[in-house]
């Protein structure tokens, strides 16, 4: 450290003036610091590391300021999504319509059903005898004596759009005609015609229609037009899975038909334009690295994530170094039983498996639902508190030899107080090794933090960290399809850690007086 | 020598005592909802005891009804007699689960360690003998990249390239789909095939530090006086490096490799978890995240023992390999 390199630039430079041999200008004196810097900058890897670090720092600390987006700003997009539109069922139960002014209660209906199943044409219930007549396929009329009481049917007579329910007589006549394949009927003194599609026409105008399908709207407030139903029935009959229908408003929609065999329901899904989070958006001009699951800009998340990762690294290493300096300094200076005691504490902490302990505490905090911000503080404290033994060991080792040197005798002779001696005269001599250890420690702390965040036990949403950005790959679909979501975060992580390691390695070589280059 | 070992052993026992105490206190301080959850579940079973009785019984069973310090001694006594209790997560005795899963971890770690040695030592020596050459820069940079690679990121990249894109390997797991139909040899080959990616991950991630260690020590040896003497004597460079220098580099290498042997039993938590390989690392990860106190307690104590054992082995080996230490 204290070696001075004497150089003679004059001779190579071809000097004009002659200087006397002991002239100060002949000798270029470099301070130890300058020497270290010179050696450091000669190391290409170290310079590369320094550049990498500078880039990462600018990226995370300044990038976050110029980025137009916030850390947890969400973006939305329109996308076509298949939404449940209507559900269609084929009516397989007998339904009843009671004639005006008559009664045919549920108990009587049950009796009728019994009779119908067993093929009887008559049944009695509560001293009334009923007669049932099969008027057509799945169509019965029930009468008592000469009066028609009710009809039972499976094909349903629906009113035309927005019209009132057809009267009993119309229903009866229409069904009778429909089930028997007739094309005209008379009811209430009017002549109706029945076309092939089951439409009931009066003077050429559609009054209603007969169909076995029941169409229920899944979206409230939607009118389902007859036209659409026809289209739908045709699609169901021909077993097509998709059809296109142009609504009254002129908009064309694609509908998807899914048959649920268990429930015997066709659910029809409409492709509608929906406003959603811009999840996993492809990289574009607005979002150079795309968006993440929650539709947040990836580049901005990376910047803020870098901030979190670097700040955590610094705080943790600061805590580690602080505890290490105090305990290592005391142990090294006092020696004997103090040293023994502190070193045994170091041994104990060295043996405590830190990663498992952090995982346990992390999942416990998960259980207690600790606020993400407080959780981050705890994380830093725990990492710092578990990581100091390395620092203490190194400092104690250095101080053990330093305290035997003459300058310590001098400090003792000057009557300088013990804490001052340790922290003002011994520790500054350890600074080079300390800086190297801190730089390397920063790299490994960032990896540890990232690993924990990756496992979901470190920094939590809404805060970004490089680790929890990568944790999206736990979903294997994201891993394979959306590489742009996690690869940049991994590269940032690698660059930052590599930067710290290159610089740390370079500093170690530069500080080492034995390395002559 | 014997006194030294005895002293170190006694000290290790003391340290272990403190470490297990810290671990026990930590686990006891966690919110004890696991016992309560379990009691709740057990008490809803038909014809079961009421909740309070279950809580009391479970607490007594796990020694949680005692205060922390007496509780620790009960636990310690149990552990000393080899009784680590039943795992809550896996509902089998801890030791049984442990012996089921440990071997795959040891095999994985062992192969990775051998590969590391085969890669790191020659490269480290090459870097040191050609210091500041292009090869040295490449090896140093490569070693630092290896150290800086986050395991989870590297493993995921490997998975993406070799399992998803090239389809050479399965993404995770230890056995293929048709494992049950294979014969003995086929089963072994299938497992080996599934272990390729995890072992590559482990090797690449940890080869760097060994490489740097070899290089640093080789450099130190090459600067020593006896190497200068050997050169002055007129020995060929090959003989100087492989006969005189390498043997002396082996001293710290043997020490550190010996010290890392117990570490093979601690498993690779991240790698095993990512590749869903049921080794001790993945198993303990599951146990820890679900709050399985008996298994966690066992695993953490086991890890502490391994660390102590590693230190002890490297200290003893150092004395065994280096005669200078023995005299002093």
């Amino acid at each position: 450290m204290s070696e001075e390199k004497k150089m003679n630039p004059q001779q190579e430079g071809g000097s004009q003036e002659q200087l006397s041999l002991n002239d100060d200008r002949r000798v270029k004196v470099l301070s130890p610091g300058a020497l270290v810097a010179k050696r450091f900058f000669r190391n290409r890897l170290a310079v590369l590391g320094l550049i990498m670090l500078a880039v990462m720092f600018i990226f995370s600390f300044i990038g976050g300021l110029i980025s137009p987006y916030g850390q947890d700003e969400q973006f939305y997009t329109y996308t076509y999504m298949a939404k449940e539109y209507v559900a269609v069922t084929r009516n397989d139960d007998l339904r009843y319509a009671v004639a005006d002014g008559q009664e045919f209660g549920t108990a009587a209906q049950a009796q009728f059903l019994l009779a119908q199943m067993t093929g009887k044409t008559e049944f009695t219930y509560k001293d009334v005898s009923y007669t049932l007549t099969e008027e057509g396929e799945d169509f019965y009329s029930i009468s008592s004596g000469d009066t028609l009481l009710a009809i039972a049917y499976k094909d349903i007579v629906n009113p035309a759009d927005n019209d009132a329910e057809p009267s009993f007589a119309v229903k009866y006549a229409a069904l009778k005609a429909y089930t028997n394949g007739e094309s005209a009927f008379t009811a209430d003194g009017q002549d109706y015609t029945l076309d092939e599609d089951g439409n009931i026409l009066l003077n050429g105008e559609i009054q209603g229609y007969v169909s076995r399908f029941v169409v229920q709207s899944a979206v409230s407030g939607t009118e389902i037009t007859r036209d659409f139903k026809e289209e739908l029935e045709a699609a169901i009959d021909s077993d097509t899975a998709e059809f296109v229908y142009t609504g009254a408003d002129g908009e064309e929609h694609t509908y998807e038909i899914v048959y649920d065999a268990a429930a015997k329901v066709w659910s029809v899904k409409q492709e509608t334009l929906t406003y959603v989070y811009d999840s996993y958006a492809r990289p574009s001009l607005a979002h150079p690295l795309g968006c993440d699951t929650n539709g947040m800009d990836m580049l901005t998340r990376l910047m803020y994530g870098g901030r979190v990762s670097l700040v955590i690294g610094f705080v943790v290493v600061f805590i580690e170094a602080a505890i290490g300096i105090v305990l290592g300094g005391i142990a090294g200076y006092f020696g004997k039983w103090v040293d023994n005691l502190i070193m045994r504490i170091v041994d104990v902490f060295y043996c405590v498996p830190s990663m498992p302990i952090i995982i346990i505490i992390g999942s416990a905090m998960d259980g207690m639902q600790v606020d993400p911000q407080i959780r981050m503080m705890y994380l830093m404290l725990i990492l710092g508190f578990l990581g100091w033994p390395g620092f203490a060991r190194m400092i104690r080792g250095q101080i053990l030899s330093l305290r035997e040197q003459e300058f310590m005798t001098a400090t003792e002779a000057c009557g300088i107080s013990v804490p001052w001696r340790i922290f003002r005269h011994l520790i500054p001599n350890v600074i080079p090794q300390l800086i190297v250890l801190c730089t390397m420690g920063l790299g490994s702390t960032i990896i540890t933090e990232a690993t924990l965040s990756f496992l979901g036990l470190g920094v939590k949403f809404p805060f970004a960290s490089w680790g929890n950005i990568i944790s999206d790959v736990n979903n294997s679909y994201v891993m394979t399809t959306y590489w742009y979501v996690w690869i940049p975060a991994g590269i940032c992580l690698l660059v930052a850690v590599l930067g710290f390691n290159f610089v740390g390695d370079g500093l170690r070589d530069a500080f080492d007086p034995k390395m002559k280059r | 020598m014997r006194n030294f070992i005895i002293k170190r052993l006694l000290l290790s026992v003391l340290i272990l005592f403190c470490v297990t105490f810290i671990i026990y206190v930590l686990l006891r301080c966690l919110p004890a909802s696991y016992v309560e959850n379990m009691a709740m579940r057990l008490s809803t079973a038909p014809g079961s005891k009421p909740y309070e009785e279950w809580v009391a019984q479970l607490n007594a069973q796990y020694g949680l009804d005692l205060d922390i310090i007496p509780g620790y001694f009960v636990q310690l006594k149990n552990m000393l007699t080899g009784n680590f209790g039943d795992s809550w997560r896996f509902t089998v005795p801890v030791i049984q689960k442990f012996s089921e899963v440990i071997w795959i971890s040891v095999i994985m770690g062992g192969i990775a360690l051998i590969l590391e040695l085969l890669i790191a030592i020659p490269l480290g020596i090459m870097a040191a003998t050609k210091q500041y050459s292009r090869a040295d820069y490449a090896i140093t940079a490569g070693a630092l990249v290896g150290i800086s690679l986050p395991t989870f990121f590297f493993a995921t990249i490997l998975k993406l390239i070799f399992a998803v894109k090239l389809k050479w390997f399965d993404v995770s797991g230890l056995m293929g789909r048709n494992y049950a139909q294979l014969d003995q040899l086929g089963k072994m080959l299938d497992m080996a095939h599934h272990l390729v990616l995890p072992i590559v991950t482990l090797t690449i991630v940890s080869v760097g530090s060994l490489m740097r260690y070899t290089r640093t020590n080789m450099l130190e040896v090459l600067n020593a006086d006896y190497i200068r003497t050997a050169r002055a004597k007129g020995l060929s460079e090959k003989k100087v490096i492989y006969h005189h220098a390498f043997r002396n580099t082996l001293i710290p290498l043997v020490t550190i490799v010996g010290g890392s042997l117990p570490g093979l039993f601690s498993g690779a938590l991240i790698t095993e978890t990512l590749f869903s390989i049921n080794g001790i690392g993945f198993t303990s990860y599951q146990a820890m995240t679900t709050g399985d106190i008996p298994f966690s307690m066992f695993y953490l104590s086991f890890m502490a023992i391994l660390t102590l054992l590693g230190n002890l082995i490297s200290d003893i080996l150092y004395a065994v390999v280096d005669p200078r230490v023995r005299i002093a």
Side-chain angles (χ1 to χ4, degrees), chain B residues 282-295:
Chain B
F282 185 40
T283 310
S284 60
Y285 175 73
Q286 289 171 308
M288 287 186 291
T289 46
T290 46
D292 180 350
I293 292 181
F295 199 93

Side-chain angles (χ1 to χ4, degrees), chain A residues 451 480 501-502 505 508 517, chain B residues 132 144 148 164 212 270 300:
Chain A
T451 308
T480 51
N501 280 338
F502 276 166
D505 201 45
R508 190 206 309 260
R517 260 207 94 191
Chain B
Y132 301 127
L144 282 173
S148 311
V164 178
R212 274 164 51 88
I270 307 290
L300 291 174

Side-chain angles (χ1 to χ4, degrees), chain B residues 303-323:
Chain B
M303 293 273 280
I305 294 174
L306 291 179
T307 315
L308 282 170
L309 206 60
N311 287 349
L312 195 65
I313 290 181
S314 62
D315 279 356
I316 294 171
L317 270 183
Y318 195 47
V320 170
V321 203
D322 196 343

